[in-house]
Amino acid sequence: MGKSFRFLLFCLSILSVASWAVSTQQSRLLMDDFVGEYGDLAKNYTHVCHESRYALLGLDIKNFAFCDKSLSYEERAKDLVSRMTLQEKVMQSVHTASGVRRLGLPEYSWWSEALHGISNLGPGVFFDEAIPGATSFPAVILSTAAFNQTLWKTLGRVVSTEGRAMYNLGRAGLTFWSPNINVVRDTRWGRTQETSGEDPFTVGEFGVNYVRGLQDVEGTENVTDLNSRPLKVSSCCKHYAAYDIDAWLDVDRHTFDARVSEQDMKETFVSPFERCVREGDVSSVMCSFNQINGIPACSDSRLLKGVIRDEWDLHGYIVSDCYGLEVIVDNQNYLNDSKADAVAKTLQAGLDLECGHYYTDALNESVLTGKVSQYELDRALKNLYVLLLRVGYFDGIPAYESLGLKDICAADHIELAREAARQGIVLLKNDNEVLPLKPGEKITLVGPHANATQVMIGNYAGLPCKYVSPLEAFSAIANVTYATGCLDASCSNDTYFSEAKKAAKYAAVTIIFVGTDLSIEAEFIDREDFLLPGNQAELIKQVAEVSSGPVILVVLSGSNIDIAFAKNNPKISAILWVGFPGEQGGHSIADVVFGKYNPGGRLPVTWYEADYVDMLPMSSMSLRPVDELGYPGRTYKFFNGSTVYPFGYGMSYTNFSYSLTPSKISIDIDLNKFQKCRTVAYTEDQMAPSCPAVLLDDMSCDDTIEFEVAVTNVGRVDGSEVLMVYSLPPSGIVGTHIKQVIGFQKVFVAAGDTETVKFSMNACKSLRIVDSTGYSLLPSGSHTIRVGDDSNSASYSLRVKYNYN
Ligand SMILES: *[C@@H]1O[C@H](CO)[C@@H](O)[C@H](O)[C@H]1NC(C)=O
Ligand SMILES: *[C@@H]1O[C@H](CO)[C@@H](O)[C@H](O)[C@H]1NC(C)=O
Ligand SMILES: *[C@@H]1O[C@H](CO)[C@@H](O)[C@H](O)[C@H]1NC(C)=O
Ligand SMILES: *[C@@H]1O[C@H](CO)[C@@H](O)[C@H](O)[C@H]1NC(C)=O
Ligand SMILES: *[C@@H]1O[C@H](CO)[C@@H](O)[C@H](O)[C@H]1NC(C)=O
Ligand SMILES: *[C@@H]1O[C@H](CO)[C@@H](O)[C@H](O)[C@H]1NC(C)=O
Ligand SMILES: *[C@@H]1O[C@H](CO)[C@@H](O)[C@H](O)[C@H]1NC(C)=O
Ligand SMILES: *[C@@H]1O[C@H](CO)[C@@H](O)[C@H](O)[C@H]1NC(C)=O
Ligand SMILES: *[C@@H]1O[C@H](CO)[C@@H](O)[C@H](O)[C@H]1NC(C)=O
Ligand SMILES: *[C@@H]1O[C@H](CO)[C@@H](O)[C@H](O)[C@H]1NC(C)=O
C-alpha cells in the first residue's frame, strides 16, 4: 500500500461494526459500466460477453472475437489487445482500468484484498447497508499456529466463496492481492501478524494451501493447460522479495535497500514464492517497495522476468506494490530516472500491472519516444486478459452464479472463524493442570483486552459480521466480574489498577487479558522492543500478587513478547497466546479455557528474550550470525541462544508419546562421470567425506525419505498433536542451519489411543544446504531426521552416500 494511504489505511482498519442484521433482499449483479449517453444500461451483468449487454450498448457481440468462446484464451486476449489504441492500452495498465467503451469493455478495479477474510482496504471492495460485513478470520499468524494444511485450504475456500458472492453483488473484484508470504526475518516487523512466521517451509506450505483454497475450481485442480485453468478468484503472493521492514528508527521501507546474500535469498526470502508459483499455481505475484542490493524489486528484470516468469513459469500477472513506482522515482530517485524512464524499465522488467498511476502518466510517452516497445505493453495486457478470462470475467463461471448474500457471514463460515482460532491458540504454561477450568466458577476478567473487539481482527481486516469479545463469551459460561485495570493497550498509568486488584482478590480464578494492538505493531509500525506496552507488566504483577485464586494470563499479539516475568512467576499458573483471534475470538478462548477444545497450537516464531533487540539492528538482513559485528543469528534455524519460548513450542491438556519407524536409513547414489563432487566447508576437527556433496541441479533427486510415526495419547483427554519434522545436517559443516522444518502433520488422537502417521518427503528438498554462493547442495554423511522438539522427540540417522569412480 502506498504512503498516501498510510493514514487512511490505519483509520479503515480501526473502523468496525458491532453487528448487523442480514437483509433478505438480494441486490442484482452489477458491473461498473459507462456513464453518460448510455447511462448504466448494461449494469445488470456479472460478466462482459453477454449478447444482450452488448445490444444495450448498441454493439453487436459477433463483431468482437474476444467474446468468441470457441477461441483459446490466448487468442481472445490477443484479439482484445490488438483492437486498442496506445492510449487505450495505457489506460488499462493500472489498478483502476478505465475500460474501452467502443469495445464494450467495462471499467475494472484490480485491487481487492482477502488476507483473512474479505477486506475493504483496496478500492475494489466496499461494504454498505446491504452488505455491512464479511467473516473476519484470525490474523494469519494465529491460523498458522494451527499447523493444519486442511484448515488453511478450507480458509481459502470459504474466503473465496464470500469474495465471489461479493463480486456477484457488485461489491468486490475477482483479483485479491493476498496472501502475504514474506518470511519474518526479524519479529520487530509490524506486519508479522499478516504472515506465517519465520520458517520458510511453513510460510510456503501456508501459501500453497491458502492459494489453492482461494483459486481452485473443484474438479479442475489438475488441468494441465495452465493458461486455461479456471480460477474461482485470482490470488496474489506478495511482497517479492526480501521485504520485512516497514518503519524502524529512521529506516523506511520505501527507500530501504535490503543488502541480501544470494544464500539467504535462495534459502529463505524467495523460497515461499517459488512454491507459491510452482506448487500453488498462483496467478499473480506482487513486487515489493524496497531495493534489493541496489535495484528496486519492481525494476529488476532478473527477479521478475528471469525468475518468476521464465524459471518458475508463472501463469498470471506481476503487479507492483501500491504507488511503488512513485516510490522508485520520487523517494528512491533511482538512477535519477524520469517517470518515463522508470515506467519503461519496469514494464521491460516484466511488471504487467501498476498499482498507482505512473503507467497512465508516462507509458505513452515512453512508447512514443522509443524507451520501450509497444509490444511489451501488449504482452503485459495479454497476461492481464488471459487471467480475467480464466476467472470468468468475460464468460462467467456457472457454478458460482448463485452465490450471494446468503453466502456472506454464513453460520458455517462464522463457525470456521471460531474453529481456526482455537486450533491456533498456544498453551504456554499450565502449572498443576489449572486449565481447563470447570464451568460455573466465579471468574474475574482483568486487563485492557478482556473486552476486546476490533483488536481481535488485527490489520488487513474488513468489517466483521459480529464480534464476540472474551467478556461476552465468558459471561455466557461463568459468573464474571470485569475490571479493566487499563483502558487500552498503551496502559499509560495505574489509575484503574486498584479496581482490578479488588476484583481479583476474592475471585475463584482471575484471567488477565493483555497484549498489543495496531498502535504497537502494524503496517508502517515496527517495534523497538519485545516488551508489553506501558504498565501492563506492572498490572499483571500487582493483580497476581493479591489474587487468592489461580491467575491465568491471556496474551493477544501478532508476534513474540518477552513474558519471562510471568513464565517464572509461580502465582501465574497458566499462559495462553491467542494471536489476534478474529471476530469469534472470545468464543475460541473460552472453548480452550473451559476445555471444550484441547489446545494444540505451536509458536510460528521464536519468542526471544528482550535484550535480543539490542544485539543487532533490524536492518541487517543476514539470517546467520555475523561474528565480526557480534550479531547473533535469526530464527530457530540460526539463533542458538536462550529464548523465552522456542519456535514450535506449545503444550496440550494431554501428553503424547512418539515411536518412529524409518523405512530406510541410507540413500546410496551412483554418480556418473558428469556428476561432480563439490566441496563443503567442515570445521577443523571434523573430517569431510571423500565426496562431500553434489549439486541438486546435477541429480535426478527422486529419492524420498519415508517413515512412520506412531503417536500415542498417554493422557486422559482427547487431543490433536502437531508432528513437526526437522532435518539436521551432518555435524561439522560450517555456516549451515542448526535444523530446518521439512514437514509437519496435525493428527487427532483420542485419549489412550495410538494413531500412525506416514511421512514421505523428497530427499533433495529436505536435506539440502545452500552454500555461501547460492548453490543448493545435497551433502553426504549422516543427517538426522527428528520428529518433535527438545522436550519430546524421536529421531533417526539417515546416511547419504555417493558412489563414484
Ligand atoms: C436491471 O434488472 C432489474 C431487475 O431485473 C430491472 O428492474 C432493471 O430495470 C434492470 N436495469 C437495467 C438498467 O437494465
Ligand atoms: C488431482 O490430483 C490429485 C493428486 O493426484 C488427486 O488427489 C485429485 O483427486 C485430482 N483431482 C481431480 C479433480 O482429478
Ligand atoms: C537528475 O535529473 C535532473 C532532471 O533531469 C537533472 O537536472 C539533474 O542534473 C540530474 N542529476 C544527476 C545527478 O544526474
Ligand atoms: C500521455 O498521456 C497523458 C495523460 O493522458 C497526457 O497528458 C500526455 O500528453 C500523453 N503524452 C503523450 C506523449 O502522448
Ligand atoms: C465491551 O465492549 C463493547 C463494545 O465495544 C461495549 O459496548 C461494552 O459496553 C463493553 N462492556 C463493558 C462492560 O465495558
Ligand atoms: C454471580 O455472583 C454474585 C455474587 O456472588 C451473585 O449475586 C449472582 O447471583 C451470581 N450471578 C449468577 C448469574 O450466577
Ligand atoms: C491515565 O490514563 C487515562 C487513560 O489513558 C487518562 O484518561 C488519564 O487522564 C490518565 N491519568 C493520569 C493521572 O495520568
Ligand atoms: C552460538 O553461535 C555463536 C555465534 O556463531 C557462537 O560463537 C557460539 O559458540 C554458539 N554457541 C553455541 C552454544 O553453540
Ligand atoms: C505430561 O507429562 C509431564 C512429564 O511427565 C507431566 O509433568 C505432566 O503432568 C503431564 N501432563 C499431562 C496433562 O498429563
Ligand atoms: C484440521 O482442520 C480441519 C478443518 O478445520 C479440521 O476438520 C481437522 O479436524 C483439523 N485436524 C486436526 C488434526 O485437528
Side-chain angles (χ1 to χ4, degrees):
M1 226 106 316
K3 54 184 181 155
S4 32
F5 273 73
R6 260 175 224 209
F7 188 67
L8 173 67
L9 228 171
F10 188 64
C11 299
L12 280 173
S13 50
I14 303 186
L15 279 178
S16 69
V17 283
S19 67
W20 53 279
V22 177
S23 127
T24 50
Q25 191 193 344
Q26 170 133 0
S27 53
R28 273 294 296 167
L29 319 172
L30 297 172
M31 175 160 274
D32 273 348
D33 246 298
F34 315 96
V35 282
E37 195 185 346
Y38 295 89
D40 48 19
L41 266 183
K43 269 203 169 190
N44 274 357
Y45 300 91
T46 44
H47 57 266
V48 174
C49 295
H50 233 283
E51 196 169 333
S52 57
R53 180 178 167 274
Y54 269 78
L56 283 166
L57 292 167
L59 301 170
D60 182 355
I61 198 169
K62 292 195 186 63
N63 294 334
F64 302 101
F66 61 81
C67 278
D68 182 347
K69 290 186 197 170
S70 72
L71 301 176
S72 72
Y73 288 167
E74 294 270 305
E75 290 165 322
R76 292 172 66 182
K78 190 163 170 249
D79 174 75
L80 173 57
V81 174
S82 69
R83 289 166 187 269
M84 295 181 191
T85 65
L86 172 59
Q87 188 59 25
E88 283 168 347
K89 289 176 188 172
V90 167
M91 299 299 282
Q92 316 312 317
S93 65
V94 289
H95 72 276
T96 44
S98 68
V100 184
R101 168 68 182 81
R102 64 186 183 86
L103 303 178
L105 185 70
E107 194 182 291
Y108 181 71
S109 182
W110 284 86
W111 181 3
S112 296
E113 302 272 354
L115 181 64
H116 55 113
I118 302 302
S119 161
N120 54 350
L121 269 184
V125 171
F126 68 91
F127 294 106
D128 56 13
E129 274 168 21
I131 320 277
T135 313
S136 223
F137 296 93
V140 173
I141 194 78
L142 188 70
S143 299
T144 297
F147 284 94
N148 179 349
Q149 292 93 338
T150 311
L151 172 70
W152 299 339
K153 196 180 270 184
T154 307
L155 285 168
R157 223 176 263 149
V158 168
V159 169
S160 58
T161 294
E162 295 204 355
R164 194 88 204 187
M166 288 197 50
Y167 171 75
N168 285 347
L169 298 166
R171 284 166 181 79
L174 289 169
T175 43
F176 292 90
W177 292 347
S178 309
N180 177 344
I181 59 154
N182 290 117
V183 175
V184 178
R185 167 191 56 95
D186 192 304
T187 55
R188 280 170 276 193
W189 193 30
R191 302 183 75 172
T192 299
Q193 60 182 293
E194 293 176 33
T195 75
S196 295
E198 71 184 26
D199 174 52
F201 179 86
T202 304
V203 175
E205 197 77 355
F206 178 88
V208 169
N209 281 282
Y210 191 65
V211 165
R212 290 235 163 244
L214 286 174
Q215 291 198 153
D216 285 0
V217 173
E218 217 176 309
T220 66
E221 297 90 340
N222 302 334
V223 167
T224 50
D225 175 13
L226 298 182
N227 283 322
S228 69
R229 195 175 81 97
L231 300 170
K232 187 175 174 192
V233 302
S234 164
S235 149
C236 172
C237 287
K238 68 188 185 186
H239 316 75
Y240 178 81
Y243 162 52
D244 64 354
I245 191 164
D246 264 53
W248 177 79
L249 303 183
D250 59 352
V251 178
D252 180 324
R253 64 175 181 179
H254 295 121
T255 47
F256 183 59
D257 179 15
R259 292 285 163 176
V260 187
S261 69
E262 194 59 22
Q263 183 179 38
D264 284 339
M265 204 66 177
K266 274 242 166 66
E267 189 176 60
T268 302
F269 297 116
V270 157
S271 115
F273 288 93
E274 176 168 4
R275 292 190 60 197
C276 223
V277 175
R278 290 191 197 260
E279 294 171 42
D281 188 29
V282 74
S283 51
S284 175
V285 174
M286 177 185 284
C287 49
S288 54
F289 290 120
N290 56 287
Q291 300 189 343
I292 299 166
N293 299 326
I295 305 175
C298 293
S299 311
D300 192 332
S301 66
R302 185 180 68 96
L303 286 178
L304 304 192
K305 202 175 262 177
V307 175
I308 301 178
R309 206 163 278 288
D310 294 346
E311 203 180 314
W312 300 343
D313 197 21
L314 171 75
H315 290 81
Y317 67 100
I318 302 177
V319 60
S320 73
D321 203 340
C322 292
Y323 307 97
L325 295 201
E326 191 179 321
V327 162
I328 292 170
V329 176
D330 302 338
N331 301 43
Q332 300 179 7
N333 197 21
Y334 179 62
L335 301 179
N336 201 26
D337 276 347
S338 66
K339 272 192 204 183
D341 290 328
V343 298
K345 279 177 195 162
T346 56
L347 180 65
Q348 189 94 50
L351 186 74
D352 301 304
L353 182 75
E354 187 211 359
C355 181
H357 54 80
Y358 275 29
Y359 271 16
T360 38
D361 287 357
L363 252 190
N364 55 358
E365 185 191 328
S366 304
V367 170
L368 292 173
T369 56
K371 290 182 197 294
V372 66
S373 78
Q374 190 168 179
Y375 168 79
E376 295 287 344
L377 183 54
D378 295 350
R379 177 193 49 71
L381 292 178
K382 236 177 65 192
N383 290 333
L384 297 178
Y385 290 115
V386 168
L387 183 277
L388 286 182
L389 281 154
R390 289 174 61 197
V391 81
Y393 182 70
F394 286 87
D395 306 330
I397 297 182
Y400 304 129
E401 293 299 305
S402 64
L403 294 177
L405 201 51
K406 65 182 189 318
D407 302 292
I408 303 165
C409 290
D412 56 330
H413 298 181
I414 292 172
E415 180 57 29
L416 181 66
R418 178 173 179 168
E419 163 78 8
R422 64 189 180 191
Q423 279 198 34
I425 289 174
V426 182
L427 179 65
L428 295 170
K429 178 178 181 181
N430 195 17
D431 285 355
N432 308 317
E433 294 180 46
V434 64
L435 289 179
L437 301 180
K438 284 160 222 44
E441 283 185 285
K442 249 178 82 81
I443 296 179
T444 288
L445 301 192
V446 166
H449 291 333
N451 190 25
T453 50
Q454 301 98 303
V455 170
M456 296 194 299
I457 63 176
N459 69 355
Y460 276 72
L463 302 182
C465 321
K466 181 187 185 311
Y467 289 117
V468 178
S469 71
L471 179 58
E472 183 184 340
F474 280 77
S475 299
I477 299 170
N479 193 328
V480 167
T481 306
Y482 166 61
T484 174
C486 297
L487 297 183
D488 55 31
S490 65
C491 192
S492 54
N493 61 50
D494 62 1
T495 307
Y496 301 95
F497 279 23
S498 57
E499 221 175 88
K501 280 151 67 177
K502 219 168 87 195
K505 195 156 184 182
Y506 301 109
V509 181
T510 298
I511 310 183
I512 315 179
F513 291 82
V514 298
T516 64
D517 63 16
L518 297 185
S519 72
I520 313 288
E521 47 176 337
E523 188 167 22
F524 318 116
I525 305 173
D526 296 329
R527 292 185 299 167
E528 282 170 35
D529 62 52
F530 290 153
L531 304 174
L532 278 171
N535 296 298
Q536 288 193 34
E538 193 54 36
L539 173 71
I540 296 166
K541 280 177 217 157
Q542 292 190 21
V543 168
E545 192 52 42
V546 300
S547 300
S548 46
V551 175
I552 293 152
L553 186 66
V554 176
V555 181
L556 281 82
S557 70
S559 193
N560 60 307
I561 297 181
D562 184 345
I563 50 164
F565 72 90
K567 176 186 177 188
N568 300 326
N569 183 341
K571 299 216 68 165
I572 297 170
S573 305
I575 306 177
L576 291 168
W577 175 70
V578 303
F580 293 131
E583 64 171 66
Q584 288 284 300
H587 278 323
S588 312
I589 298 167
D591 288 345
V592 167
V593 166
F594 292 104
K596 192 171 164 191
Y597 185 83
N598 181 1
R602 304 297 190 92
L603 295 178
V605 294
T606 302
W607 282 40
Y608 300 100
E609 291 170 355
D611 64 355
Y612 183 83
V613 298
D614 305 324
M615 297 181 195
L616 77 176
M618 193 186 171
S619 50
S620 97
M621 294 299 291
S622 177
L623 273 299
R624 289 169 172 72
V626 183
D627 293 338
E628 313 86 86
L629 297 169
Y631 298 168
R634 293 182 144 103
T635 80
Y636 76 91
K637 290 173 74 173
F638 301 104
F639 177 65
N640 64 11
S642 66
T643 59
V644 181
Y645 294 108
F647 169 88
Y649 187 76
M651 302 166 66
S652 165
Y653 295 155
T654 186
N655 276 328
F656 299 92
S657 73
Y658 303 157
S659 152
L660 199 165
T661 314
S663 69
K664 60 173 186 286
I665 55 168
S666 77
I667 295 175
D668 280 79
I669 298 170
D670 295 324
L671 299 180
N672 65 36
K673 61 183 169 180
F674 301 112
Q675 294 170 308
K676 293 192 172 50
C677 294
R678 301 274 175 156
T679 56
V680 168
Y682 269 83
T683 51
E684 279 163 24
D685 58 343
Q686 200 86 21
M687 217 182 32
S690 56
C691 180
V694 173
L695 272 187
L696 294 200
D697 283 347
D698 285 352
M699 292 190 285
S700 58
C701 279
D702 42 20
D703 284 293
T704 54
I705 301 173
E706 283 171 42
F707 58 90
E708 282 183 3
V709 187
V711 192
T712 304
N713 182 339
V714 297
R716 291 182 305 273
V717 290
D718 302 348
S720 287
E721 173 78 335
V722 176
L723 301 175
M724 290 276 209
V725 185
Y726 296 93
S727 72
L728 285 69
S731 65
I733 297 181
V734 174
T736 189
H737 48 264
I738 299 164
K739 59 179 182 178
Q740 64 179 349
V741 173
I742 57 172
F744 49 81
Q745 282 187 52
K746 189 172 198 150
V747 57
F748 174 83
V749 191
D753 276 5
T754 298
E755 298 288 340
T756 301
V757 180
K758 286 190 167 63
F759 283 91
S760 172
M761 288 160 303
N762 180 280
C764 277
K765 286 181 184 164
S766 304
L767 305 178
R768 79 158 182 176
I769 63 169
V770 179
D771 81 3
S772 59
T773 63
Y775 282 127
S776 288
L777 301 166
L778 176 58
S780 59
S782 178
H783 298 255
T784 302
I785 305 298
R786 177 188 293 168
V787 180
D789 54 30
D790 299 340
S791 61
N792 183 23
S793 70
S795 60
Y796 71 97
S797 303
L798 176 63
R799 197 183 52 117
V800 173
K801 188 163 174 283
Y802 293 116
N803 305 313
Y804 62 104
N805 298 306

